[in-house]
Amino acid sequence: MTPKPAGPPDGGWGWVVAAAAFVVNGLSYGLLRSLGLAFPDLAEHFDRSAQDTAWVSALALAVQQAASPVGSALSTRWGARPVVMVGGVLTSLGLVFSAFARSLLHLYLGLGVLAGSGWALVFAPALGTLSLYFSRRRVLAVGLALTGNGAASLLLAPTLQLLLDNFGWRGALLLLGAITLHLTPCGALLRPLELPGDPLAPPRNPLAALGLGLFTRRAFLVFALGTALVAGGYFVPYVHLAPHALDRGLGGYGAALVVAVAAVGDAGARLLCGWLADQGWVPLPRLLAVFGALTGLGLLAVGLVPVAGSEEGWGGPLLAVAGAYGLSAGSYAPLVFGVLPGLVGIGGVVQATGLVMMLMSLGGLLGPPLSGFLRDETGDFTASFLVCGSFILSGSFVYMGLPGALPSCRPASRPATPPPERGELLPAPQMALLSPGGPSSTPDTTC
């Protein structure tokens, strides 16, 4: 029998898993972010309001995230590889079904329920498997995988606009269905990895498989509440950034450029923040609170940007604030999943990822329709982005209740390197930790 490795390999096949998670992220959240370009065509074709069409992506986001614990539980029981492969097939079928829609109800069922269910089976298992392969470079690896969102938005936004111009929304959805089928080979690359401390048999109790016991931990409960509030505004630009640019006087390709600029800032910040977080200079919960607050401020700036001069203009102010928002939102994203092993331990990270996605579904379900409702009532998206930015700021304040989020003047032991794999942010008995340089404990006062 092949012996289990002493710990995460921190590389090797893990980089292949990171590449697979990169594509999974791009063909889920990256695709959802770009779909807003098709909403004006859908609203015109079905003669419905912005609020009604916004429910298409809102349902897809909500189902994808609400059903993520199911994807995590199935992955715990049968492994991530078959679960992600089946999810890729379901996602493709949902987009193909939506291409033949005769009403918005068909789009709700196709994109919202069927494709959303497929996305629920791919994201949490892929990201959870990636966390198992890394320790010291975990946040960097997660950040690399999450750049798939920005890279896909950069490529898919202008591509989708081109498809809409040449084939209409039906042809565009049909081709997107073919593209998302690539999720299936990505799932085949998720090689299982067994680590010391793994349970000998997967849990058979459905509640244990879902990981609901994690809510009994105060730190995870605080984290979950803050993340649910942030999600109330975080996904609004995925749906309404392009329509907001159109409302501000830009043409179709100008709006696509705004989405692309936000995507570039998002992708670059995920890598940079992943590297920064892995250096250990600042506690992850503190970085999470700071970049969450900056994301909320970025959304406020997007809502207050002035109207562009003409359709031929490129909307310089909107491009600038969209880029700033992308930088802050991209920095926040890897920290959400990078902090989980410290809160629940590496053994519970797959289940914790699914539960966090479920909580984010509450914001994903309510945020975009609320934004569309405010657009219909006020005539533009200014109030939408102001309200949703306030949600993100509220969640960032909740994060301050996490261990290590606020500076402390009490002596603290220097963390071990690499970080412990059983939850370095969990409460531990008081004991003297030995410093790497000698037998005496080394107090470190942080303030």
Side-chain angles (χ1 to χ4, degrees):
M1 296 178 63
T2 303
K4 293 183 180 181
D10 228 24
W13 190 260
W15 294 117
V16 178
V17 176
F22 174 92
V23 177
V24 167
N25 185 248
L27 294 181
S28 53
Y29 285 104
L31 180 57
L32 280 168
R33 174 179 285 183
S34 303
L35 275 178
L37 290 168
F39 284 178
D41 290 349
L42 295 176
E44 181 181 358
H45 180 85
F46 293 110
D47 192 23
R48 303 295 287 270
S49 66
Q51 181 183 3
D52 293 335
T53 53
W55 276 102
V56 175
S57 347
L59 279 174
L61 277 169
V63 171
Q64 186 258 339
Q65 292 170 324
S68 285
V70 177
S72 298
L74 294 175
S75 176
T76 303
R77 181 68 180 87
W78 285 288
R81 179 179 282 171
V83 173
V84 174
M85 293 177 71
V86 171
V89 174
L90 289 179
T91 303
S92 179
L93 289 176
L95 285 161
V96 171
F97 175 81
S98 300
F100 299 95
R102 298 298 177 186
S103 68
L104 274 183
L105 177 61
H106 295 160
L107 288 174
Y108 294 156
L109 295 175
L111 270 173
V113 178
L114 188 55
S117 299
W119 280 318
L121 297 182
V122 301
F123 185 79
L127 210 60
T129 302
L130 177 62
S131 295
L132 298 177
Y133 271 89
F134 289 89
S135 175
R136 296 183 61 180
R137 293 181 284 186
R138 179 179 293 129
V139 185
L140 176 61
V142 171
L144 175 63
L146 294 182
T147 56
N149 184 336
S153 299
L154 177 63
L155 294 174
L156 287 176
T159 301
L160 180 56
Q161 186 62 50
L162 184 65
L163 294 177
L164 290 170
D165 290 342
N166 288 276
F167 302 104
W169 64 267
R170 295 187 186 277
L173 290 179
L174 194 62
L175 292 171
L176 289 178
I179 293 172
T180 53
L181 194 58
H182 289 80
L183 290 168
T184 300
C186 289
L189 296 174
L190 301 180
R191 180 185 296 172
L193 178 67
E194 294 184 357
L195 297 172
D198 287 348
L200 297 178
R204 296 187 178 275
N205 187 324
L207 295 181
L210 292 173
L212 297 180
L214 294 175
F215 286 110
T216 61
R217 302 180 180 180
R218 178 187 174 277
F220 182 76
L221 191 60
V222 170
F223 173 80
L225 176 59
T227 303
L229 286 172
V230 169
Y234 191 83
F235 296 106
V236 168
Y238 282 54
V239 181
H240 286 145
L241 182 57
H244 177 57
L246 295 173
D247 278 356
R248 283 295 189 250
L250 299 181
Y253 287 98
L257 179 63
V258 170
V259 175
V261 167
V264 170
D266 187 296
R270 293 181 186 218
L271 288 176
L272 181 60
C273 186
W275 173 85
L276 173 66
D278 283 334
Q279 303 310 304
W281 297 329
V282 183
L284 292 184
R286 194 175 306 168
L287 286 176
L288 183 69
V290 169
F291 284 114
L294 291 177
T295 303
L297 294 175
L299 264 185
L300 297 181
V302 170
L304 296 173
V305 73
V307 179
S310 64
E311 276 198 18
E312 289 74 21
W314 292 106
L318 183 55
L319 286 175
V321 296
Y325 159 76
L327 288 172
S328 55
S331 299
Y332 168 83
L335 296 170
V336 174
F337 300 102
V339 77
L340 280 179
L343 295 174
V344 302
I346 194 65
V349 70
V350 176
Q351 295 168 320
T353 301
L355 291 175
V356 169
M357 299 299 295
M358 178 188 68
L359 290 167
M360 293 175 74
S361 70
L362 300 176
L365 178 64
L366 299 177
L370 174 62
S371 176
F373 170 76
L374 293 174
R375 162 65 174 83
D376 293 335
E377 293 295 318
T378 63
D380 59 36
F381 285 101
T382 299
S384 301
F385 282 93
L386 294 180
V387 170
C388 295
S390 301
F391 278 127
I392 296 180
L393 289 174
S394 300
S396 302
F397 284 118
V398 173
Y399 284 146
M400 293 181 181
L402 291 173
L406 294 175
S408 173
C409 292
R410 294 178 299 176
S413 299
R414 191 178 303 277
T417 302
E421 296 305 322
R422 296 188 182 277
E424 61 268 26
L425 298 178
L426 295 176
Q430 296 296 323
M431 57 182 297
L433 296 183
L434 299 183
S435 65
S440 60
S441 61
T442 305
D444 179 27
T445 301
T446 59
C447 186

